[in-house]
Amino acid sequence: MSNEMIRCENVSFKYTSHEDGEIKYALKDINLSVKKGEFLVVLGHNGSGKSTVAKHMNALLIPSDGNVYVDELNTRDEDNVWDIRSKAGMVFQNPDNQMVATIVEDDVAFGPENLGIDPLEIRKRVDESLEKVGMSEYKRHAPHLLSGGQKQRVAIAGILAMQPDCIILDEPTAMLDPSGRKEVIKNIKEINKEYGISIVLITHYMDEAAEADRIVVVDDGKAIMEGTPKKIFSNVEKMKEVGLDVPQVTELSYELNKAGISIDREIINVDEMVDALCQLK
Ligand code: ADP
C-alpha cells in the first residue's frame, strides 16, 4: 500500500487571462506529494498559485497537463470524483459561504446526509465531530451568531463528519481575528495528531507554516522549496527573495551570524533562541 495520500505529477494549469485574452499558467509543472498522516503547509504570497494547487487536490480543478492522484485515484476520471471528495474534504477561506443550515448540528449533518448515510450513524458522527472541534455546546445555536473562528471549526466538523482521510484548508484563517486564527490552527493540529488525518494547509502566514511537518513553498506557479520548517526558514535570503517572511528569531540568528556571532541558524521559536543565547560564551 502506498503511503501517499495525494500526488501531483508534473501538474500545469492554464487559463485565459481576462485582461489580455492570453493563455497564462497558474501552475507550471508542479510535483508534490502529501504523505498519509502528514501535516503539510503550502506557503506562498498572494497570486503564487496556492489556491489553484488546493483545488486540484479534490478534483475541483483538473490539470491542463500532468495528473493528480488522491489515494491512487486519478482526478481526471469522472467516476472517481465522488470517492475523491469523500476522501479529501475542503475548507475554504470565508466561513459564511460554507454555512448551509440555520442550526449548527444540521450544518454538520449536511455532508453525511448527502453521502446517504443512515440517520442514526449521522447523529453519532455529528456529535463526535462537534466534540473534536470543541463546539458541542453550540450544537443548537444559529451559525450566523458564532465568531469567525467558531464558524470555521463548525465547517471543519462538517468535513470530519464525512470521515475523510485528508482535509485541505485553503487559507482558513485569512478572515479571522488573531484569537480566531489561533483557535483554528490549534484545532487543525489536534485533528492531525490525534486522529491521524492528513492536513494540507494553504497559508501565507509563516507562524502557521512553522507548525507543519513539512512545507512546500510555491512561487509563480512553481514549487521552489520543500523541507521541514527549520530547513525552509533558515534559508532567509531565498525566502525574502520570493517575498515571504521568516520568524523574527530566525532572522535574528541570521543577522547574528552575519555579524560574526556563531549561533544555530535553524532557530524557529523563542525558546530555541533563549537556549542558543545561553550557550554563547
Ligand atoms: P494564491 O492562492 O496563491 O493567491 P491563485 O492560485 O489563486 O493564487 O492564483 C494564481 C494566479 O493565477 C493568480 O494570478 C490568479 O489571478 C491567476 N488565475 C488562476 N486561475 C485563474 C482563472 N481561472 N482565471 C483568471 N486568473 C486565474
Side-chain angles (χ1 to χ4, degrees), residues 208-223:
E208 294 181 0
E211 304 283 337
D213 295 326
R214 196 161 62 95
I215 299 176
V216 171
V217 179
V218 175
D219 185 51
D220 192 23
K222 293 187 283 256

Side-chain angles (χ1 to χ4, degrees), residues 13-18 25-27 44-53 55 61 170-171 202 218:
F13 182 75
K14 55 188 175 195
Y15 63 93
T16 310
S17 162
H18 299 303
Y25 280 85
L27 300 179
H45 63 69
N46 278 339
S48 55
K50 302 184 298 295
S51 219
T52 310
V53 173
K55 289 183 186 133
L61 289 175
D170 188 359
E171 306 213 37
I202 311 288
V218 175

